[in-house]
Amino acid sequence: MSVAIAVLVGIVVLVLALRQWLLVRECTPCPSEAFDGHIHRVGKAVIAERRCENPRATVLCMHGFVADMRYFTRHYEDPGLQLILVTSCDYHLPITGPREVPAPWAKVPSAPEGTIAHDAAVLVQALEHLPRTDQVRVHGHSRGGAVVLEAAKLRPDLFEKVEVVLEAPVLPRARAYTRLTRAQLWLLPFFIPLWRMAPIARHNRGAWGPLEDARKRELIMAFPFNPKRVSTMLTNLVDLARWFDERDESLFRNVRRGTVLVPGKDRVLESRSMLESAQKGRPELEVVTLDGCSHFVLWDRPDALPALERLPERPSATA
């Protein structure tokens, strides 16, 4: 009997030790790409700014859970745009030989790493210090939508003249398409290595939508490798669930104008709850539903993205 108990205790210790190792070990990133610009480090988060001499407009982007900044680069490839891309805390930076420029204004957020509040504080610093035009769009996809709303809550003054695009966003009181149980979250470190072996597989195929586009397939294949550690993924997920429940529609008061894009065939977030939340937002926010579109609007329906708005002309001093 004592031998059996000792064996059982040994197995439990081994499983717990293996889980801890899987949680904290840093994974190998996918191959990085060239980027014509420079980066600013803010703790474990990174802000990348593409080179642009005389920009006509500024676009600041925040990617979603397990995605990376490359999600936006093809859509905003216009060289006349000042493109600013925020990379989530403790995610790999997909840039070959990044050129780092010190940022004296950069301050490590006090919010816990891996949370929406942490990334929102980084986005606020980017929005406060980097735009070089009066015409500014802030675009958040999925979890990035929640980051944008949280940033607007932190500094509503910075969003007074900003156009916001919330694409398939995490919104207050909305829900994930499939909510993980506590047991599933505990087992996550054992599942992620399997996901890395087959990022696109039969059991998750429905989440991605059409996969004919080679660039889309390439970036989805990178998803399980983008966060450096499984512990970061786990923190992201736990914090997301908390954020869904704790935030309410009053967050929308902090944005003045923009668009919410709600895909009709989202298999990552629940479309109906997303739509219900969006419709409780400010009347200045246009809510656009996209029947049959997957969670990845920018890849599947780039035509649905609003054109960059022109700021209304300021009245002259003599008027």
Side-chain angles (χ1 to χ4, degrees):
M1 187 67 174
S2 59
V3 173
I5 292 174
V7 170
L8 180 60
V9 170
I11 292 173
V12 170
V13 170
L14 284 174
V15 169
L16 292 176
L18 176 61
R19 181 179 183 272
Q20 184 62 26
W21 179 75
L22 291 171
L23 271 172
V24 301
R25 71 169 180 145
E26 184 173 325
C27 76
T28 302
C30 286
S32 55
E33 301 176 1
F35 180 77
D36 185 14
H38 58 264
I39 66 166
H40 305 292
R41 293 194 185 274
V42 185
K44 293 182 182 178
V46 177
I47 303 167
E49 182 181 358
R50 189 175 64 197
R51 185 174 64 85
C52 183
E53 298 300 330
N54 296 296
R56 64 176 179 84
T58 300
V59 180
L60 196 166
C61 299
M62 183 72 228
H63 63 79
F65 172 62
V66 302
D68 68 32
M69 58 179 246
R70 294 175 297 176
Y71 181 80
F72 302 98
T73 51
R74 184 168 65 179
H75 186 78
Y76 293 115
E77 61 185 359
D78 181 349
L81 296 177
Q82 180 195 13
L83 183 61
I84 303 167
L85 303 161
V86 179
T87 294
S88 284
C89 175
D90 203 40
Y91 275 48
H92 286 293
L93 180 66
I95 295 176
T96 302
R99 183 168 63 89
E100 186 171 348
V101 174
W105 43 263
K107 296 180 180 179
V108 179
S110 59
E113 294 176 356
T115 62
I116 289 169
H118 187 284
D119 287 346
V122 176
L123 190 149
V124 162
Q125 294 179 62
L127 181 59
E128 181 176 12
H129 296 284
L130 293 179
R132 292 187 284 125
T133 72
D134 291 330
Q135 184 182 355
V136 180
R137 165 182 287 184
V138 177
H139 182 166
H141 172 243
S142 194
R143 177 181 178 273
V147 172
V148 170
L149 289 175
E150 194 73 17
K153 176 177 177 287
L154 290 173
R155 288 290 304 274
D157 58 303
L158 294 177
F159 283 80
E160 288 182 357
K161 297 181 180 179
V162 165
E163 177 209 2
V164 168
V165 175
L166 303 177
E167 176 201 346
V170 168
L171 295 177
R173 309 298 190 193
R175 293 180 292 276
Y177 188 77
T178 301
R179 190 154 186 170
L180 298 179
T181 65
R182 289 185 178 180
Q184 289 171 321
L185 288 171
W186 194 90
L187 291 169
L188 190 69
F190 302 101
F191 291 147
I192 297 303
L194 300 176
W195 185 23
R196 288 173 178 155
M197 291 172 64
I200 299 174
R202 181 175 55 83
H203 69 276
N204 66 22
R205 175 65 182 78
W208 315 128
L211 288 171
E212 291 77 16
D213 186 290
R215 178 63 169 171
K216 178 180 178 181
R217 287 185 65 92
E218 176 190 11
L219 294 184
I220 289 175
M221 292 289 286
F223 278 6
F225 302 94
N226 287 330
K228 291 183 178 180
R229 281 165 271 270
V230 176
S231 59
T232 300
M233 292 189 195
L234 185 57
T235 301
N236 287 169
L237 288 170
V238 171
D239 179 66
L240 267 171
R242 184 186 302 116
W243 194 93
F244 272 130
D245 295 337
E246 293 181 355
R247 294 294 183 264
D248 59 36
E249 291 79 9
S250 64
L251 280 185
F252 290 111
R253 298 173 189 167
N254 303 308
V255 294
R256 298 290 182 265
R257 59 193 177 96
T259 305
V260 184
L261 299 168
V262 180
K265 200 175 181 180
D266 199 316
R267 295 297 180 266
V268 176
L269 301 175
E270 188 186 73
S271 297
R272 180 177 296 181
S273 64
M274 195 191 315
L275 181 61
E276 289 173 355
S277 178
Q279 290 174 336
K280 295 177 183 177
R282 294 177 62 89
E284 295 88 349
L285 286 177
E286 181 183 6
V287 180
V288 179
T289 57
L290 302 167
D291 294 338
C293 185
S294 81
H295 184 66
F296 306 98
V297 178
L298 204 61
W299 287 335
D300 297 348
R301 286 286 311 277
D303 60 294
L305 270 288
L308 278 167
E309 297 179 8
R310 295 291 182 184
L311 287 176
E313 294 185 6
R314 298 175 181 175
S316 64
T318 57

